[in-house]
Structure formats: structure tokens, C-alpha cells
Amino acid sequence: MDYVALHARFRPDKLAISDLAHNRHWTYSQFDQSIARCVTILEAGGVGTGDRVACLSKNRAELIALHLACARMGAIFVPLNWRLSPAEIIQLIDDCMPTVLMGDSMAEGIGIDCQPIEELFERCNSSEPTFPPAVSADLPSLILYTSGTTGKPKGVMLSERNITETAINFSILGDVESQSGFLCESPMFHIVGLITSVRSPFLRGGHVVISDGFVPERTLSRLSAPDLKISHYFCVPQMALALRGEESFDPEKLRHLKAVFTGGAPHPEVQIREWLNDGIALVDGYGSSEAGTVFGMSLDRAIIDAKAGSVGVPTPRIGHRLVDNNGNIVPTGIEGELQLRGDNVTDGYWRRESDYQDFFTDDGWFHTGDILMIDEDGFYRVIDRKKDMYISGGENIYPAEIEALLVKFPGVREITVAGVPDKTWGDVGCIFYVTDSTTVTIEEFSDFLGGKLARYKLPRKVRKLEKIPRNSAGKILKHALKEMFIGERYEK
């Protein structure tokens, strides 16, 4: 399943990667050699089958090379979320126990002792390439950490078989071909950044253009640039809105794109149709770290218009069903939990086997925890999250992680966090609390949480209540809290 090696022989001089942040370019033949030299360096560092290679770095070509080198060796690459707080990053490092740890200046800035990632290719240039014997495609080659509902991160383990399924599924849904070019701005600690935006074009012999981050004016320039030949671009809805808000936004310069692909949060239908009216397909989809790309909309603008708000359809490679609370298949037009089965689904959670088993039904279907509905034409729509997670700016946020810290806030008798609607971020966290003392401001709560959580996880709103609503079993009714917020039936 090594498609870089395939294209290094099939189309050796074809452009594979452009790293815009560092002004570097590789053909398939050149990048194949770079991966092979990374294998040499990792083996010299004591990395073997099943060992972890972790990296804390913004997007750059070295992350792709390290992951593919691990895949060739049977080792496991672990890209670390640099948006987390130092304490959270150290927690991930302690959990994955890497044999080799690399990083850029961010790692040095928070005192993490690691090998400098910027020296990797220089070391490669003085190393001989190593081409190890092929390993099983069922060995894990990647761990992606995603926050858990208990606050403890889950390391989603993905094998090359899992990853290749995502590449195949998206290449079908996204009409990927050998001339496709992907602008990769999604961080490479996310599945969209490291897998969907990289493995899909590599599968077909296309090229990847690496950016170190989203800057709306710069992104528009890159999407428009004839020499970069971008055809595919992923973003969250807030990024798409920011692009349209830029003074330099000119739809005429973007009509060469196959589509702008969005996910990570619901996309308002009116915003989808604004893109369509400008002659640009804006395509929603659905996926996860555990299952990769699952659903995708058609690229046909008439179908997008008719089904605006839908996340599309799956490929025939994915087993999918919607069930009620008793496990019965729900009919068309009725909400149900999405369950999945297939080679795309993760093979496990790192060091959390019992948790992994809890995510499966007795007959082998994976619980997504998401509530969807299918219409009469077979198009799916996301209704809600089954659990309390909310999505803010494309990031999954779990209230339990925040609540575990807030229970120590002095003078508060009861406290909880729920996602509430926000025009800018989709949802934001709101702290609902009960106290006998004076009102607590959001700034005070933020100061208390500072350094303990990533900034994007910090709640942005606060409401003081006389009591927190609960059911007869004592469980907090978070939907009632959201209704309070929307209806403004709360004490300020």
C-alpha cells in the first residue's frame, strides 16, 4: 500500500510535494528517497516494529516523510497537537512513550527535549536509503489523539489498511485524479491534514501543497495561483466564511477548483448557496479520526443546492446503518445513531483496549455516537451529537474535561459546561454555575483555567443559576441549559 513507492517508478519526475513555508519541492522519486533515508535515521535511533515516533511541529514535509517511514518499518507515527497546553502535550508524550521525539521551535519554547525537526532532511542527505521488507498493512502506523468524554485523551490507532480506505473513499467522493493538487492547511495532527489531504492525492499520483497555517488573504492568493494548480481545499465553515469576508475575495479566480470541502461543524445552507451562486461547489462531508472519510456530497452544484445541509452519501466500501436506542434500524426520515463497519474503522485505542471494545455492538458495528437522518434519496444529514461534545471552530470539545478542573473553583457549589450557539464559532462553551457568593466573570474563570487547557477549549460565556436542572436520576439536563441560553431564561 506504498503509493509513493509506486509513483516513484510509475511517474518519477511528477511533482509530489511543495512545502510553501520552506520553499522546497520534491518529485515522487525524490520523496521516495527521502522516506527511505528517514527509515535509516529512525533505525539508527533504535526504532523498530511497534515503536512510536512522536513529533510536535506545524505543517511541514518532514511530518509526511516520518509517517511514511514509520509505515514502511512497522513503527507508529504520533503527531502531537501543538494547540494544546504544555501540560496536555506532556501528558500525550508520557502516554505514547516515544522512542524518538522530534519538534520545531514550539517544543523548545515549552521546554520539551527533542530532536530538531528542521535538521531531519539535512541528516537524510548524508544517509544511505533503506528499503525494508514490506510489513503487514494491518500493523498500526499512526496514532491520532482525540479528547475523550472523561477528559483523558484517546489515541486512535490507524493501520495502513484503515488509512488506504480513507484515501480510496475520498478519492471516489472527491473526484481525485493524477492532476489533482491539494492545499494542505489543516494541521497534520488531524486526520484531514495528514491523511485525507495527503494520502488521497498520493493514491492517484497527484500533488500536495503544504501550508503552515490559515491566513485568509494568503490562502486566497494560493488557491488562485496558476502555478500551484490547486484543485482541492479543506476547511471548517468558519474558515470558508473568513475567505468570503476578505477584501481580495474574487470568485472568478477560484472557479478552477473542483470544490471547497468543509466539515467539522454544521454549515448553514445560506452560506453554502452563496458559494454556489458564485459558481463554486462547496461540499460538506462527514468523517472522524476513528473512521476517516465516511460521507461526502456530490460535486454537482445542482445536487448541492437541492441537498444543502446534507453531508452526502458513503461509498459502497463502507458499512453503515442508523439505529434507535434498542439497536433497531430506523426508517427513512427518522433520527438514529450512525454505526459503521469496514476496513476504514480504527483497529483500537492506544493502551485502552476495554474502552475500544465498548465502542462496538455485539454484532461488530462501531458506535459513532452521532445522530443522523437519511432522506428518501439516500442523502445523510447530521442532527446532533449523542453525547455532550460540542464543536467550536471545527474543534471537538468535551465539557467533562473542563468541568473536572472547574469543580476546584473556590466558592462554587455546582458547575457544568455546555455548548451554546455562537455566530462566529458555531458553538462555544458556556459555564453554568451556582454559588452563594458574588457573581463570577468569564475572565475570572478563564484566569483559573489558564495554562491547564488549550485556549480553544476555554469557555467564552458564563451564566449564574439558582439551580442546575437535573432529571430524576440526578443527571444534568444539558439540553435544558442550552434552551435556557437560547431563550434567555437565566439569571445574569
Side-chain angles (χ1 to χ4, degrees):
M1 296 188 178
D2 192 334
Y3 290 96
V4 171
L6 167 68
H7 295 301
R9 289 149 184 80
F10 198 62
R11 40 173 65 89
D13 298 326
K14 172 78 165 51
L15 178 68
I17 291 181
S18 293
D19 187 335
L20 299 182
H22 306 94
N23 193 28
R24 301 172 300 177
H25 313 274
W26 291 263
T27 65
Y28 273 101
S29 178
Q30 291 168 339
F31 204 63
D32 181 52
Q33 289 289 312
S34 293
I35 296 166
R37 289 183 168 91
C38 281
V39 171
T40 303
I41 290 168
L42 293 178
E43 286 184 343
V47 176
T49 302
D51 290 333
R52 278 74 59 207
V53 176
C55 187
L56 179 70
S57 171
K58 289 195 173 181
N59 288 6
R60 56 193 299 151
E62 286 87 344
L63 275 74
I64 301 174
L66 283 172
H67 181 204
L68 294 177
C70 287
R72 290 184 181 183
M73 302 168 64
I76 306 173
F77 183 56
V78 189
L80 300 171
N81 183 346
W82 44 262
R83 296 186 66 187
L84 298 176
S85 68
E88 291 170 309
I89 293 170
I90 291 170
Q91 180 185 10
L92 298 188
I93 294 171
D94 290 343
D95 186 64
C96 71
M97 301 180 295
T99 300
V100 170
L101 175 60
M102 295 189 182
D104 61 12
S105 58
M106 291 185 297
E108 182 180 349
I110 60 177
I112 294 177
D113 184 21
C114 61
Q115 299 177 24
I117 188 70
E118 62 269 17
E119 295 180 5
L120 177 61
F121 283 153
E122 183 178 342
R123 294 166 63 191
C124 284
N125 292 337
S126 58
S127 302
E128 291 296 318
T130 298
F131 295 93
V135 299
S136 170
D138 293 316
L139 288 176
S141 72
L142 181 66
I143 291 176
L144 294 176
Y145 276 102
T146 178
S147 295
T149 55
T150 63
K152 183 178 179 181
K154 298 195 301 290
V156 179
M157 295 193 295
L158 298 173
S159 68
E160 284 300 294
R161 190 177 305 282
N162 300 148
I163 290 167
T164 299
E165 282 299 309
T166 286
I168 293 171
N169 286 324
F170 184 78
S171 69
I172 296 170
L173 295 169
D175 194 17
V176 182
E177 54 192 358
S178 62
Q179 298 307 309
S180 295
F182 282 58
L183 177 60
C184 178
E185 287 189 328
S186 302
M188 290 182 179
F189 55 75
H190 276 177
I191 193 161
V192 169
L194 190 60
I195 302 305
T196 317
S197 295
V198 174
R199 295 299 191 94
S200 303
F202 280 1
L203 176 72
R204 300 303 304 272
H207 66 278
V208 179
V209 178
I210 301 171
S211 167
D212 60 353
F214 176 68
V215 180
E217 184 178 11
R218 186 180 69 175
T219 297
L220 283 172
S221 175
R222 290 172 172 176
L223 292 174
S224 305
D227 59 318
L228 294 181
K229 300 179 180 178
I230 304 300
S231 59
H232 293 68
Y233 179 64
F234 284 95
C235 64
V236 297
Q238 291 77 15
M239 293 164 65
L241 190 61
L243 291 176
R244 294 190 65 85
E246 269 300 311
E247 188 175 334
S248 59
F249 178 74
D250 182 356
E252 184 67 34
K253 296 180 179 179
L254 302 177
R255 289 182 186 144
H256 64 280
L257 296 172
K258 281 281 181 74
V260 173
F261 297 86
T262 67
H267 209 142
E269 294 180 19
V270 63
Q271 294 178 16
I272 294 173
R273 292 193 171 99
E274 286 176 349
W275 287 88
L276 297 179
N277 291 338
D278 285 330
I280 302 166
L282 189 136
V283 176
D284 274 355
Y286 170 92
S288 67
S289 298
E290 286 91 345
T293 297
V294 177
F295 300 133
M297 272 296 292
S298 166
L299 274 60
D300 185 301
R301 294 201 300 274
I303 296 177
I304 298 171
D305 186 31
K307 300 293 184 181
S310 168
V311 294
V313 300
T315 73
R317 304 179 68 88
I318 294 176
H320 52 94
R321 68 184 189 184
L322 299 182
V323 302
D324 61 21
N325 290 334
N326 297 317
N328 301 312
I329 303 295
V330 300
T332 298
I334 302 298
E335 300 172 0
E337 184 201 3
L338 174 66
Q339 296 180 353
L340 301 172
R341 186 164 64 184
D343 286 342
N344 59 305
V345 178
T346 175
D347 290 327
Y349 293 126
W350 172 250
R351 300 174 66 190
R352 296 179 69 176
E353 179 60 26
S354 61
D355 289 348
Y356 176 67
Q357 295 302 327
D358 289 343
F359 275 86
F360 283 87
T361 65
D362 291 340
D363 54 348
W365 290 80
F366 180 77
H367 289 284
T368 67
D370 290 335
I371 306 301
L372 282 77
M373 181 188 296
I374 185 172
D375 69 15
E376 64 281 0
D377 298 317
F379 284 77
Y380 284 80
R381 183 181 292 264
V382 177
I383 305 301
D384 204 350
R385 265 62 188 179
K386 191 173 183 179
K387 298 189 178 181
D388 296 329
M389 182 196 83
Y390 60 93
I391 299 176
S392 183
E395 296 285 354
N396 293 350
I397 300 176
Y398 293 88
E401 184 180 14
I402 307 170
E403 291 164 353
L405 298 171
L406 286 176
V407 292
K408 300 177 183 178
F409 193 93
V412 171
R413 288 196 285 115
E414 290 185 278
I415 197 162
T416 190
V417 175
V420 298
D422 182 83
K423 291 181 179 179
T424 301
W425 300 103
D427 278 332
V428 295
C430 182
I431 299 172
F432 297 88
Y433 70 100
V434 177
T435 179
D436 294 327
S437 59
T438 58
T439 299
V440 184
T441 67
I442 190 61
E443 289 78 14
E444 290 174 293
F445 280 124
S446 296
D447 288 343
F448 179 80
L449 293 171
K452 302 182 182 75
L453 287 173
R455 288 187 61 82
Y456 71 83
K457 296 181 181 180
L458 296 178
R460 296 173 181 266
K461 300 181 185 296
V462 62
R463 297 292 181 263
K464 181 180 178 181
L465 302 177
E466 290 186 358
K467 64 178 181 179
I468 290 177
R470 299 175 184 271
N471 64 13
S472 58
K475 184 177 180 180
I476 294 173
L477 300 174
K478 296 209 173 183
H479 65 88
L481 293 172
K482 183 177 288 191
E483 290 170 3
M484 283 184 186
F485 183 90
I486 295 172
E488 298 186 348
R489 300 190 304 271
Y490 51 79
E491 284 190 36
K492 293 186 178 181

